[in-house]
Amino acid sequence: MTFHDYSITFLRLSLLCFLSPAASSADYIPSTLDGPFVPVTVPLDTSLRGKAIDLADTDPRVRRHVTGFEPEQISLSLSSDYDSIWVSWITGEFQIGKNVKPLDPTSIDSIVQFGTLRHSLSHEAKGTSLVYSQLYPFDGLLNYTSGIIHHVRITGLKPSTVYYYRCGDPSRHAMSKIHHFRTMPVSSPSSYPSRIAVVGDLGLTYNTTDTVSHLLQNSPDLVLLIGDVSYANLYLTNGTSSDCYSCSFPDTPIHETYQPRWDYWGRFMETLTSKVPLMVVEGNHEIELQAENKTFEAYKSRFAFPFKESGSSSKLYYSFNAAIRVAKEDLAKFDRSVTPWLVVSWHPPWYSTYTAHYREAECMKEAMEELLYSYGTDIVFNGHVHAYERTNRVYNYELDPCGPVYIVVGDGGNREKMAIEHADEPGKCPDPLTTPDPAMGGEFCGWNFTTTGKFCWDQQPEYSALRESSFGHGILEVKNETWALWTWYRNQDSSSKVGDQIYIVREPDRCHGYNRLVDHC
């Protein structure tokens, strides 16, 4: 079967050196070499159970602060390698109403001026522009058409170098202020991005603002957002919102969305995205079905993806060397001597012990887990479940010293409720027939599998090392060819305090890590 609604992202990181970074540390940080660990559940902080509230459209952080065709919602994303990067922005105002007339994307140029000196932007790159619409041909529903969305690919860049840039159309006197970014290092065994921020299910709530503020304080080189971005699909086209769309609006002729929430999200995020590349994996909230069965229109239009550079025919699947690879064909090209680490990401988790979305992606797991295991995947990041959970190394629900570490970080702060209940608690095991996810094809693959032949465990399973219901984000720091430091930060803590921290250690001598054959005996 196919899983067209979720992309899989592969991060390939090139590193060198075999010394243990923890060997000289005064404060000992555990590593996976110390595991497997006894399962731990952090008690719920009841002060966090308050309702998550979206930023209102009157909040100054989401209002439009430019005029005419001046750029807004500026964002960066990586291209195929260190020597290129995408710059995206929007000009002109969106329209929402019964009758909307799209702007002409050819009416304004897409230009980026850039250089290594702030006051000498001597280079120029041109790109393309587009407009998308979200249409609902039903009485009482409002249509939307976006501003002009620009995507420009800058090439010929030097590695690990700060570049200054501004974007817009100089002939229209519509240019942004000067921003800056740092390029990725050369993809080689001796260099890699220092700090990769990982966050999922972000949304645009007051919890989100805390998450982004803490993330900025951690100075990432790259941000990976694992799906569920703006949550525009929790709104009707008239701007009426709900924590549970199907509960509040069961009789709507189609699942509506309020597309201005995307513009609000882009404006709020510009402080981060204009200087740090953001790579996005789509989630279920990005499907946004509209007329003629169109899906993912906002997602595919607003973000620049290196899909063509990576040989993909779809914006839902792409790769880049800082590094992300997709599909079996890319795995076949994976060279551990050049890029030792293989880190994989997609939205719905295979290994989560919360009742929320419990085993929804079981069919995907059955179809792909052996492939990822055979290529020695080191770490898997997922979102979807609004909590934090880290596993021991696991394969097919059993502890395995060569299996990946799975980390769920769907705790970015969106307005949907936090995941609190666990499937192994008395009376909390979901009815198996309620678990298939329609976005995954709706098939059921969750047959009995525990040692007692049940759908759920009777206690926290041994593959689950640590779980906690809280909001936050994580930072992955690859130290060398075999050691990477994972740190999870909770929003309620100071920036110097961590909620979870562990060295994830590759063992290439024990686990050959490339095209390893799976023993079914």
Side-chain angles (χ1 to χ4, degrees):
M1 65 185 297
T2 59
F3 307 100
H4 56 84
D5 287 331
Y6 296 114
S7 69
I8 299 182
T9 298
F10 295 77
L11 286 77
R12 303 189 310 163
L13 304 171
S14 305
L15 320 157
L16 189 61
C17 180
F18 289 91
L19 295 177
S20 163
S24 60
S25 175
D27 298 320
Y28 181 73
I29 299 172
S31 78
T32 51
L33 298 178
D34 303 317
F37 301 96
V38 175
V40 171
T41 299
V42 177
L44 177 67
D45 183 346
T46 56
S47 67
L48 300 177
R49 299 189 70 175
K51 180 180 179 181
I53 301 174
D54 275 341
L55 268 64
D57 57 10
T58 55
D59 191 294
R61 291 169 291 186
V62 305
R63 301 303 299 164
R64 188 170 188 259
H65 295 293
V66 299
T67 59
F69 284 93
E70 294 175 352
E72 65 161 346
Q73 304 180 49
I74 301 169
S75 65
L76 304 170
S77 59
L78 297 185
S79 186
S80 55
D81 215 331
Y82 71 87
D83 61 352
S84 54
I85 198 168
W86 285 95
V87 182
S88 303
W89 69 94
I90 294 180
T91 55
E93 295 190 67
F94 67 79
Q95 303 167 55
I96 188 164
K98 183 177 180 180
N99 298 307
V100 294
K101 183 179 180 181
L103 296 173
D104 178 5
T106 66
S107 64
I108 187 168
D109 287 337
S110 308
I111 294 175
V112 176
Q113 299 171 342
F114 64 98
T116 55
L117 299 176
R118 183 180 183 89
H119 299 295
S120 181
L121 306 181
S122 56
H123 302 281
E124 185 174 283
K126 296 183 178 180
T128 60
S129 59
L130 62 97
V131 168
Y132 84 92
S133 299
Q134 193 83 2
L135 304 177
Y136 303 101
F138 302 98
D139 290 340
L141 275 60
L142 304 180
N143 295 317
Y144 170 94
T145 186
S146 70
I148 300 173
I149 303 172
H150 304 261
H151 298 303
V152 176
R153 185 181 178 222
I154 304 176
T155 60
L157 303 177
K158 298 177 181 179
S160 303
T161 302
V162 173
Y163 282 87
Y164 297 90
Y165 75 95
R166 60 183 177 185
C167 57
D169 184 347
S171 69
R172 301 282 292 268
H173 300 288
M175 295 294 288
S176 72
K177 68 177 184 179
I178 296 176
H179 300 275
H180 69 276
F181 62 85
R182 178 180 289 274
T183 55
M184 294 293 106
V186 174
S187 297
S188 75
S190 60
S191 62
Y192 42 87
S194 298
R195 300 171 65 82
I196 301 174
V198 186
V199 64
D201 302 71
L202 197 55
L204 188 57
T205 70
Y206 291 96
N207 292 320
T208 307
T209 65
D210 289 341
T211 301
V212 174
S213 175
H214 288 191
L215 191 154
L216 277 166
Q217 292 174 33
N218 278 317
S219 303
D221 301 300
L222 173 67
V223 177
L224 178 63
L225 175 51
I226 315 174
D228 287 359
V229 181
S230 73
Y231 286 80
N233 71 335
L234 291 185
Y235 287 76
L236 296 178
T237 60
N238 64 9
T240 301
S241 65
S242 172
D243 296 329
C244 173
Y245 186 100
S246 60
C247 303
S248 300
F249 315 122
D251 300 322
T252 56
I254 192 172
H255 190 123
E256 304 168 44
T257 74
Y258 187 60
Q259 290 295 295
R261 296 301 302 183
W262 278 102
D263 295 283
Y264 303 159
W265 190 89
R267 291 166 185 165
F268 172 78
M269 292 292 290
E270 184 177 309
T271 301
L272 170 66
T273 59
S274 62
K275 62 182 179 181
V276 182
L278 174 71
M279 306 308 294
V280 186
V281 177
E282 76 273 10
N284 53 293
H285 284 270
E286 280 72 73
I287 297 174
E288 296 186 317
L289 176 67
Q290 60 166 302
E292 299 179 355
N293 290 320
K294 291 183 178 180
T295 56
F296 294 108
E297 287 299 300
Y299 172 82
K300 292 187 293 185
S301 299
R302 291 175 179 270
F303 298 106
F305 305 98
F307 74 104
K308 290 184 179 179
E309 304 99 276
S310 58
S312 171
S313 60
S314 170
K315 293 181 179 180
L316 299 181
Y317 306 95
Y318 61 88
S319 63
F320 62 96
N321 280 341
I324 295 177
R325 307 295 299 179
V326 299
K328 185 175 181 179
E329 292 77 9
D330 279 321
L331 286 172
K333 302 173 186 176
F334 185 59
D335 185 351
R336 291 277 181 176
S337 67
V338 178
T339 51
W341 287 86
L342 179 59
V343 182
V344 185
S345 177
W346 65 89
H347 188 58
W350 294 346
Y351 288 95
S352 169
T353 60
Y354 288 87
T355 57
H357 306 299
Y358 185 65
R359 299 183 67 187
E360 282 183 358
E362 194 75 12
C363 294
M364 179 185 180
K365 176 181 176 296
E366 286 193 5
M368 300 194 66
E369 185 177 21
E370 181 177 322
L371 176 66
L372 298 187
Y373 180 81
S374 69
Y375 279 91
T377 300
D378 300 299
I379 309 171
V380 175
F381 288 115
N382 301 117
H384 205 39
V385 175
H386 303 156
Y388 175 76
E389 186 165 15
R390 172 175 54 82
T391 72
N392 288 304
R393 290 194 175 277
V394 60
Y395 172 68
N396 197 26
Y397 292 111
E398 296 182 355
L399 297 177
D400 188 313
C402 297
V405 173
Y406 290 80
I407 299 175
V408 177
V409 284
D411 54 353
N414 70 81
R415 66 176 296 165
E416 292 183 315
K417 63 183 180 181
M418 184 186 297
I420 295 174
E421 297 178 343
H422 307 107
D424 49 85
E425 295 175 12
K428 300 300 183 182
C429 183
D431 180 345
L433 296 181
T434 67
T435 59
D437 183 358
M440 297 297 296
E443 294 189 29
F444 179 75
C445 299
W447 313 109
N448 291 341
F449 66 101
T450 69
T451 55
T452 57
K454 297 180 180 179
F455 186 64
C456 301
W457 279 265
D458 295 325
Q459 58 184 3
Q460 186 175 356
E462 61 181 358
Y463 72 74
S464 175
L466 175 68
R467 62 190 185 188
E468 179 176 358
S469 298
S470 186
F471 300 113
H473 76 283
I475 298 287
L476 180 67
E477 303 174 72
V478 183
K479 300 298 185 179
N480 56 49
E481 189 174 2
T482 54
W483 287 70
L485 179 62
W486 167 252
T487 307
W488 175 61
Y489 295 90
R490 307 186 313 170
N491 282 0
Q492 66 266 38
D493 297 329
S494 66
S495 59
S496 61
K497 184 178 178 181
V498 301
D500 182 32
Q501 192 168 51
I502 188 171
Y503 281 105
I504 299 174
V505 185
R506 295 183 56 247
E507 299 183 72
D509 293 333
R510 183 181 191 180
C511 310
H512 297 296
Y514 178 71
N515 215 11
R516 182 173 60 246
L517 296 178
V518 179
D519 184 1
H520 294 285
C521 299

